[in-house]
Amino acid sequence: MKHFLVSIFLLIGSTSNLPDNLTITYEGDTIASVNRTYFANPLINLPIADHDKLEAFIQRLEKSVYVPPANASIDKHGNIISEKVGYTLDREIFKRLFYTYFFTKDASTIEAPMRKVYPAVDSELLSQIRVKRIGQYATYFNSSNQERSHNIVLASEAINNQVIFPGETFSFNKTVGKRTKEKGYLRAPVIVRGELSEDIGGGICQISSTLYNAVDSAGMTITERYSHSKRVAYVPPGRDATVSWYGPDFRFTNNYQQPILIRSHVYGGTASIVIYSSEDLKISPRKVPSASFKLPEKESMGSEENREN
């Protein structure tokens, strides 16, 4: 749990340690202590709390107690892992309790009032949209290139179990996030202005390209896609989707009336992505050319198009 303490300066060099402080607790722990004098407006000789100071205080308090919800997901054995409800500060109740304290002269202790935050994807929804396979694609790579293979696995895990609702647009960059050493990405071959080089995250374009072909085969609306500046080996010509954090993105929109589910896995030297939805969904599939099993002798192509440097 994140804790913070708001120190109020009544005079230069002295902090508040007054007997009439407001103490805020959460699950039995003190997470904030503040005095009403901090919120008083010195320009107005009236008992009115400074709105900006109160909002800033509430934002910090909210951040301290927030527990994010977790969507239901499917594990590697095909079992559904139940969703988890999250919690956040109930701002309205807290404000009422705060003003009760503010307009009195006594000390007070408030247990941070919380409200539930429900996940967007629960077990029931997931069980309904994992039924019908509406698109799929597989590409192949040299698994002996450990750094590149490692990056491919990380990107695959980042998009696995993603649910895209009707009318919603999926962004590869937003979903996967910035590819950094801190996130576990390694240096691997990339294409820089048509030339081969190495950089953090090399290889993830194999996942974005596999995803592009899978969602295209499912009849989705492709809203943003760019090809590499150099031919890549793992998909047919013109069937790749280059991505870079400060550059191109791959995005598509779910144009159906049902949510869709992305299942992405890496098995040895195979990256496989399957798109699912509900049994009742009527789709307009597209035919896309399959990827070749044959790999180049030196697989340095087909990496992230680096435009960050």
Side-chain angles (χ1 to χ4, degrees), residues 178-243:
K178 190 173 183 179
R179 282 67 80 178
T180 64
K181 187 192 308 183
E182 290 72 24
K183 287 186 176 181
Y185 286 94
L186 304 176
R187 295 182 66 86
V190 297
I191 299 174
V192 183
R193 291 182 291 276
E195 300 297 328
L196 296 176
S197 182
E198 281 199 355
D199 204 355
I200 298 294
I204 70 165
C205 283
Q206 177 136 5
I207 294 299
S208 58
S209 297
T210 308
L211 178 62
Y212 159 55
N213 284 279
V215 299
D216 196 28
S217 72
M220 298 289 174
T221 301
I222 309 301
T223 54
E224 183 178 351
R225 180 189 73 88
Y226 301 92
S227 290
H228 289 79
S229 55
K230 187 172 184 176
R231 166 86 163 84
V232 296
Y234 48 78
V235 289
R239 300 302 305 177
D240 57 319
T242 181
V243 291

Side-chain angles (χ1 to χ4, degrees), residues 237-256:
R239 300 302 305 177
D240 57 319
T242 181
V243 291
S244 178
W245 182 249
Y246 292 113
D249 192 6
F250 169 62
R251 301 193 306 149
F252 70 90
T253 299
N254 177 8
N255 50 285
Y256 293 121

Side-chain angles (χ1 to χ4, degrees), residues 1 24-27 31 61-68 85-94 97 110-117:
M1 181 191 303
I24 297 132
T25 62
Y26 179 56
E27 295 182 341
I31 58 173
L61 184 62
E62 188 174 53
K63 184 177 180 181
S64 176
V65 299
Y66 178 66
V67 179
V85 175
Y87 295 90
T88 191
L89 182 72
D90 191 316
R91 284 172 161 256
E92 295 305 314
I93 293 178
F94 177 79
L97 295 172
I110 295 175
E111 173 69 13
M114 307 294 290
R115 62 177 177 83
K116 293 181 178 179
V117 180

Side-chain angles (χ1 to χ4, degrees), residues 10-21:
L10 301 178
L11 296 172
I12 295 177
S14 64
T15 61
S16 65
N17 189 21
L18 304 179
D20 58 342
N21 277 355

Side-chain angles (χ1 to χ4, degrees), residues 35-290:
N35 192 270
R36 63 175 56 81
T37 55
Y38 173 69
F39 300 97
N41 192 325
L43 302 179
I44 303 176
N45 191 23
L46 292 172
I48 299 176
D50 186 296
H51 177 269
D52 292 339
K53 287 184 178 180
L54 179 57
E55 283 299 313
F57 179 76
I58 290 176
Q59 287 179 14
R60 295 180 66 188
L61 184 62
E62 188 174 53
K63 184 177 180 181
S64 176
V65 299
Y66 178 66
V67 179
N71 286 333
S73 60
I74 302 174
D75 66 18
K76 62 181 180 180
H77 303 294
N79 301 313
I80 292 181
I81 301 173
S82 297
E83 69 279 4
K84 292 183 179 180
V85 175
Y87 295 90
T88 191
L89 182 72
D90 191 316
R91 284 172 161 256
E92 295 305 314
I93 293 178
F94 177 79
K95 283 183 178 180
R96 291 201 297 268
L97 295 172
F98 170 82
Y99 280 117
T100 298
Y101 157 79
F102 185 80
F103 291 118
T104 65
K105 294 182 179 181
D106 300 323
S108 182
T109 298
I110 295 175
E111 173 69 13
M114 307 294 290
R115 62 177 177 83
K116 293 181 178 179
V117 180
Y118 293 95
V121 180
D122 59 22
S123 300
E124 182 179 1
L125 173 63
L126 203 55
S127 66
Q128 293 173 352
I129 63 172
R130 64 177 295 185
V131 178
K132 185 175 183 178
R133 182 178 298 189
I134 65 171
Q136 60 184 330
Y137 203 77
T139 59
Y140 310 95
F141 60 93
N142 185 354
S143 59
S144 64
N145 186 331
Q146 296 182 1
E147 291 79 7
R148 187 174 185 277
S149 299
H150 176 81
N151 293 339
I152 288 174
V153 170
L154 287 184
S156 173
E157 291 174 346
I159 68 170
N160 186 40
N161 282 316
Q162 292 293 319
V163 173
I164 297 88
F165 289 89
E168 183 179 0
T169 295
F170 171 95
S171 162
F172 187 90
N173 279 342
K174 182 178 180 181
T175 302
V176 176
K178 190 173 183 179
R179 282 67 80 178
T180 64
K181 187 192 308 183
E182 290 72 24
K183 287 186 176 181
Y185 286 94
L186 304 176
R187 295 182 66 86
V190 297
I191 299 174
V192 183
R193 291 182 291 276
E195 300 297 328
L196 296 176
S197 182
E198 281 199 355
D199 204 355
I200 298 294
I204 70 165
C205 283
Q206 177 136 5
I207 294 299
S208 58
S209 297
T210 308
L211 178 62
Y212 159 55
N213 284 279
V215 299
D216 196 28
S217 72
M220 298 289 174
T221 301
I222 309 301
T223 54
E224 183 178 351
R225 180 189 73 88
Y226 301 92
S227 290
H228 289 79
S229 55
K230 187 172 184 176
R231 166 86 163 84
V232 296
Y234 48 78
V235 289
R239 300 302 305 177
D240 57 319
T242 181
V243 291
S244 178
W245 182 249
Y246 292 113
D249 192 6
F250 169 62
R251 301 193 306 149
F252 70 90
T253 299
N254 177 8
N255 50 285
Y256 293 121
Q257 298 304 310
Q258 295 285 341
I260 64 107
L261 168 68
I262 298 173
R263 295 286 286 152
S264 180
H265 297 286
V266 175
Y267 307 95
T270 301
S272 174
I273 296 179
V274 182
I275 311 299
Y276 290 93
S277 192
S278 69
E279 188 66 47
D280 299 330
L281 183 66
K282 294 181 180 180
I283 67 170
S284 301
R286 300 189 187 100
K287 186 174 179 58
V288 300
S290 300

